[in-house]
Amino acid sequence: MKVVKFGGSSLSCSEQVEKVFHIVVSDPERKVVVVSAPGKRFAEDTKVTDLLIECAAAYLQGREDQNAFQGIIDRYESIAEGLQLPREPVAEIKANLLELLNRDRSNPQKYMDAVKASGEDSHARLIAAYFRHKGTDAHYVNPEEAGLLVTDEPGNAQPLPETYDSLYRLRDRKGIIIFPGFFGFNREGEIVTFSRSGSDITGSILASGIKADVYENFTDVDAVYSVNPTIINRPKEISEITYREMRELSYAGFSVFHDEALMPAFKAGIPVNVKNTNQPKKPGTMIVKERELANGPVIGIASDDGFCSIYVSKYLLNREIGFGRRLLSILEDFHLSFEHMPSGIDDISIILRQDRFTKSVEEQIVKRIKEELQADDVKVERDLALIMMVGEGMRESVGTAARASTALAKTGVNIEMINQGSSEVSMMFGVRVSDERKAVLALYEEFFAGVAVHG
């Protein structure tokens, strides 16, 4: 039995929905279909979820956004007309959206969650109607009815333990189940959404709940690539990758998955197959628990910007009990979490997301570190990019860091910081944002030029 998830680009228009139908019915093992809201049809297009956010934001300000509202309805009408469906499903979508928008707005977060989630919910109803129109036994299933219970954290919901037992009962349902992604329900029966890209999370939860043999995640690429294809033209495809490698790469900037999306499938040991809706016969990439280490130490390179570092130096820092705890408690007072913390004998660096580390906050934190920790030196570096090399094979290879450092030096990239994860499957380099692209190109050339990446 398979759980199949289709992203917004895979369901953006009637032609794409028709492709999805043929993919699903071509394999009787595809039992549960998780759908996203309609995504972009072309580069300048607007996702339905973004239109819903605009609409809800306007209502929260006491006004109406007719352009956004009509844009939403027009998208569903276009899809329905292209699929030759009657007008009733779109009329229901319009009535449901109006009812949602006119609900109580005293809790803006929960109001926004309910409106946002309607994109997936409406699309699931429409797609189920199309499957039935084509003579297929298919049924829309609401997450509340299925028992998808989540924590009461708007925009960041987590599944509750009892969810999985409830979802297992979906195995007994007849026909194909069409399930909306992106949201669940709290114990009070209110809609709560996952983080953006939350339909991936829904698919992973369902795969774990029904104990699927495979979780197929259809998107608009043939496979997971070894590096961002906007940086490297036609990069190597990865045929097999471990959960741990994929999570590290997702955290560091890979856009195929949200970095938390695979956790339910990972914990249940369910393989994930990333495939292309537009090229469904291609094998795609399998994400598995373990793989053979046959193609060198590095399987992927990811990069992300928007970071800064706080460098703290103090003689005999390593002998000072509680120094790290007191340093982090200062950050905690400003509600800041750290991303990485490489350290030496007399120094330590804290890597943070730059967007919340304002100049005012910086001044206060630097002052407290100097006064409370008697640091010899405190420096802040802004506009950093983190380059992450990932591979299970790094644990068994000698000289990977030396090869990477030499490759970067040859291209004139100065390494601001280097850190190897304790799991030894990732190695991170901090460089200036202006050097990000050049650094990725240098590392790709060093580790992948002439190498066939097959997992």
Side-chain angles (χ1 to χ4, degrees):
M1 184 178 291
K2 296 179 179 179
V3 169
V4 196
K5 178 262 174 182
F6 293 92
S9 60
S10 299
L11 297 164
S12 60
C13 60
S14 59
E15 291 82 6
Q16 290 297 103
V17 172
E18 192 171 0
K19 290 178 187 177
V20 165
F21 170 76
H22 289 296
I23 289 169
V24 172
V25 299
S26 70
D27 185 347
E29 289 297 306
R30 290 174 175 141
K31 168 77 174 178
V32 180
V33 181
V34 178
V35 304
S36 300
K40 290 185 177 184
R41 295 161 292 185
F42 44 87
E44 298 78 22
D45 201 10
T46 305
K47 297 178 181 179
V48 164
T49 300
D50 291 330
L51 291 172
L52 287 164
I53 291 170
E54 288 178 30
C55 223
Y59 270 75
L60 284 169
Q61 294 169 8
R63 58 184 178 85
E64 297 181 7
D65 189 333
Q66 284 299 325
N67 288 333
F69 179 84
Q70 195 56 48
I72 296 162
I73 303 306
D74 286 349
R75 287 295 296 278
Y76 289 115
E77 281 185 345
S78 173
I79 292 170
E81 287 174 6
L83 298 173
Q84 299 182 330
L85 287 172
R87 295 188 60 83
E88 285 80 3
V90 178
E92 289 178 8
I93 289 171
K94 184 175 183 179
N96 289 339
L97 180 55
L98 279 171
E99 190 270 330
L100 275 173
L101 289 169
N102 286 291
R103 280 186 181 179
D104 175 56
R105 298 189 282 275
S106 58
N107 188 321
Q109 279 189 310
K110 290 189 175 180
Y111 175 81
M112 180 65 78
D113 260 18
V115 175
K116 282 194 300 186
S118 70
E120 276 74 12
D121 197 56
S122 295
H123 214 18
R125 294 174 190 270
L126 190 65
I127 290 168
Y130 176 61
F131 274 50
R132 291 193 298 273
H133 177 71
K134 297 287 285 185
T136 300
D137 185 17
H139 310 275
Y140 159 84
V141 174
N142 184 275
E144 184 175 30
E145 175 195 354
L148 180 45
L149 289 176
V150 299
T151 56
D152 192 22
E153 300 173 87
N156 192 38
Q158 304 294 321
L160 295 174
E162 59 265 39
T163 283
Y164 298 100
D165 290 336
S166 299
L167 293 176
Y168 186 76
R169 293 193 287 271
L170 292 175
R171 294 178 66 98
D172 299 327
R173 299 268 187 124
K174 295 189 181 299
I176 295 170
I177 293 168
I178 310 295
F179 202 100
F182 189 38
F183 71 97
F185 285 78
N186 64 18
R187 295 190 190 279
E188 287 70 46
E190 299 167 316
I191 288 173
V192 191
T193 65
F194 300 114
S195 51
R196 286 298 288 264
S197 303
S199 292
D200 290 331
I201 300 174
T202 301
S204 187
I205 292 169
L206 280 164
S208 176
I210 71 168
K211 302 190 187 313
D213 298 308
V214 178
Y215 168 31
E216 292 183 324
N217 193 294
F218 280 83
T219 179
D220 55 2
V221 294
D222 289 342
V224 176
Y225 296 109
S226 54
V227 73
N228 189 335
T230 64
I231 296 178
I232 303 290
N233 185 36
R234 296 172 64 90
K236 305 291 185 183
E237 294 181 4
I238 300 171
S239 64
E240 193 173 60
I241 187 172
T242 68
Y243 290 113
R244 185 159 47 178
E245 289 169 331
M246 191 68 227
R247 178 160 161 75
E248 293 272 4
L249 289 169
S250 297
Y251 161 77
F254 263 40
S255 59
V256 176
F257 280 109
H258 183 286
D259 65 320
E260 297 176 6
L262 295 180
M263 286 309 294
F266 166 67
K267 289 178 179 178
I270 296 166
V272 179
N273 193 186
V274 180
K275 294 174 71 71
N276 190 345
T277 305
N278 302 310
Q279 301 277 355
K281 292 186 178 180
K282 291 201 170 184
T285 298
M286 290 296 297
I287 307 173
V288 296
K289 186 176 181 179
E290 295 178 349
R291 66 177 178 88
E292 290 187 16
L293 309 179
N295 294 289
V298 180
I299 197 167
I301 301 168
S303 66
D304 197 9
D305 56 25
F307 294 93
C308 63
S309 70
I310 306 173
Y311 170 81
V312 182
S313 175
K314 186 178 182 180
Y315 182 59
L316 298 180
L317 180 152
N318 65 312
R319 295 189 185 181
E320 190 168 331
I321 296 171
F323 187 92
R325 174 184 56 77
R326 286 183 289 140
L327 175 58
L328 293 179
S329 71
I330 293 174
L331 298 181
E332 185 179 353
D333 288 343
F334 290 87
H335 305 286
L336 294 172
S337 60
F338 72 96
E339 302 291 327
H340 300 278
M341 192 167 61
S343 62
I345 297 174
D346 296 323
D347 51 36
I348 188 168
S349 292
I350 308 290
I351 310 303
L352 310 166
R353 291 278 178 182
Q354 189 167 288
D355 54 355
R356 295 185 60 197
F357 194 64
T358 65
K359 287 291 185 181
S360 172
V361 169
E362 175 187 332
E363 291 172 4
Q364 295 177 70
I365 287 177
V366 170
K367 182 180 179 183
R368 285 189 58 181
I369 292 173
K370 288 180 176 178
E371 292 178 353
E372 297 175 24
L373 303 181
Q374 286 85 52
D376 298 329
D377 190 21
V378 182
K379 294 179 181 176
V380 173
E381 290 283 347
R382 290 183 172 271
D383 300 320
L384 297 178
L386 298 186
I387 316 295
M388 186 85 80
M389 298 196 316
V390 175
E392 299 274 3
M394 289 168 61
R395 290 179 297 179
E396 301 175 6
S397 298
V398 176
T400 303
R403 285 177 63 187
S405 300
T406 301
L408 293 174
K410 284 180 180 177
T411 56
V413 174
N414 184 49
I415 300 173
E416 304 289 335
M417 172 193 57
I418 183 171
N419 187 35
Q420 181 159 19
S422 57
S423 64
E424 297 184 3
V425 302
S426 66
M427 187 175 295
M428 181 198 69
F429 298 91
V431 303
R432 307 300 302 178
V433 167
S434 56
D435 288 332
E436 178 182 358
R437 186 181 183 88
K438 188 162 56 171
V440 172
L441 285 165
L443 293 173
Y444 184 84
E445 182 67 24
E446 172 66 28
F447 290 97
F448 291 105
V451 176
V453 181
H454 297 298

